[in-house]
């Protein structure tokens, strides 16, 4: 089934540890995005990538990094996790990144930092 | 900060009734989109309306856009229990020819049988 695969589905992580959230899409979409969803705050953009090889910062990029080595993969890394990074993380993609179509979302990764 | 703000925060109705959710935003947009999120799942794209459009339909969904008031509404007609979900509006923030979506905080819709 075409779509976005996120892994892991959930994780409990000790503060200070490094963690990479994986995101893979099989739709050959050019643009990919990482959002975090927190109760009462909605979804906030962390980082995005318009095409392979390029990335950009969103609204809440601090403490996170991304890479886009190819079209399909867009991993999100927490270099040194802190409790405020406890959240549900969603990866998304769109065909052209120009706002002419909707986003396709993954099922999310629920991360708890203790 | 959120661009779109949904109203109401929560809505409870009976099956068969219509559900109306509103979204207000602050800056000029290229398009506005509505998404649905079932509990514990990812968001699903429902409908997109461009800034030069005033109304759009998709099945039981009707979306309106008033750019002069910077507002949009989503109407779900003849609601079903399966429509129970959170609904989000999202606006694009054009940046050097590319866009990223800014989401509101959502409306939680409960449809009771």
């Amino acid at each position: 089934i075409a779509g976005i695969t996120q892994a892991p589905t959930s994780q409990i992580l000790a503060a200070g540890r490094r963690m990479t959230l994986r995101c893979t899409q099989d739709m050959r979409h050019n643009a990919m995005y990482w959002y975090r969803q927190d109760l009462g705050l909605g979804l906030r953009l962390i980082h995005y990538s318009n095409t392979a090889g390029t990335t950009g910062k969103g609204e809440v990029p601090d403490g996170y990094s991304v890479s886009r080595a190819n079209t399909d993969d867009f991993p999100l890394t927490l270099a040194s996790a802190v409790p405020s990074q406890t959240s549900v993380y969603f990866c998304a993609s769109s065909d052209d990144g120009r706002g002419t179509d909707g986003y396709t979302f993954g099922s999310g990764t629920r991360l708890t930092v203790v | 900060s959120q661009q779109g703000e949904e109203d109401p925060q929560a809505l409870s109705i009976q099956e068969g009734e219509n559900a109306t959710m509103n979204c207000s935003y602050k800056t000029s947009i290229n398009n506005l989109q509505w998404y649905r999120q079932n509990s514990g799942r990812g968001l699903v794209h429902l409908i997109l309306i461009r800034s030069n459009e005033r109304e759009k339909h998709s099945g039981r969904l009707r979306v309106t856009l008033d750019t002069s008031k910077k507002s949009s509404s989503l109407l779900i007609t003849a609601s079903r229990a399966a429509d129970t979900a959170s609904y989000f509006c999202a606006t694009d923030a054009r940046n050097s020819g590319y866009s990223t979506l800014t989401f509101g905080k959502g409306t939680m819709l409960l449809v009771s049988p």
Side-chain angles (χ1 to χ4, degrees), chain A residues 33 35 37 40-45 48 50-51 59 90 96-107 110, chain B residues 1-2 31 33 35 37 40-45 48 50 88 92 94-95 97-105:
Chain A
Y33 316 87
Y35 286 86
Q37 184 176 30
L41 295 177
L43 283 88
R44 293 179 292 169
L45 181 65
Y48 64 93
N50 293 319
T51 59
E59 181 185 354
F90 288 100
D96 66 2
R98 296 183 185 277
T100 58
D101 59 358
Y103 288 9
T104 299
F105 279 82
S107 297
R110 183 175 296 275
Chain B
S1 61
Q2 259 69 28
N31 67 68
Q33 303 178 28
Y35 288 78
Q37 183 181 34
R41 307 293 294 273
L43 280 74
V44 175
H45 179 254
L48 180 154
R50 293 180 171 79
F88 295 85
D92 75 338
R94 188 58 58 96
N95 181 14
Y98 291 92
S99 75
T100 59
L101 288 182
T102 302
F103 287 81
K105 298 178 183 179

Side-chain angles (χ1 to χ4, degrees), chain A residues 20 45 49 51 63 71 76 78 88 111 113:
Chain A
T20 295
L45 181 65
S49 169
T51 59
T71 297
L76 176 73
L78 289 68
V88 181
L111 179 66
V113 182

Side-chain angles (χ1 to χ4, degrees), chain A residues 29-88:
Chain A
H29 282 176
N30 286 311
M32 297 186 75
Y33 316 87
W34 275 105
Y35 286 86
R36 59 177 288 174
Q37 184 176 30
D38 302 288
L39 191 64
L41 295 177
L43 283 88
R44 293 179 292 169
L45 181 65
I46 304 171
H47 284 286
Y48 64 93
S49 169
N50 293 319
T51 59
T54 69
T55 62
K57 294 181 179 181
E59 181 185 354
V60 289
D62 294 343
Y64 306 94
S65 64
V66 293
S67 62
R68 187 88 184 276
N70 57 61
T71 297
D72 298 342
D73 301 300
F74 191 44
L76 176 73
T77 297
L78 289 68
S80 179
V82 295
S84 62
Q85 292 178 311
T86 293
S87 186
V88 181

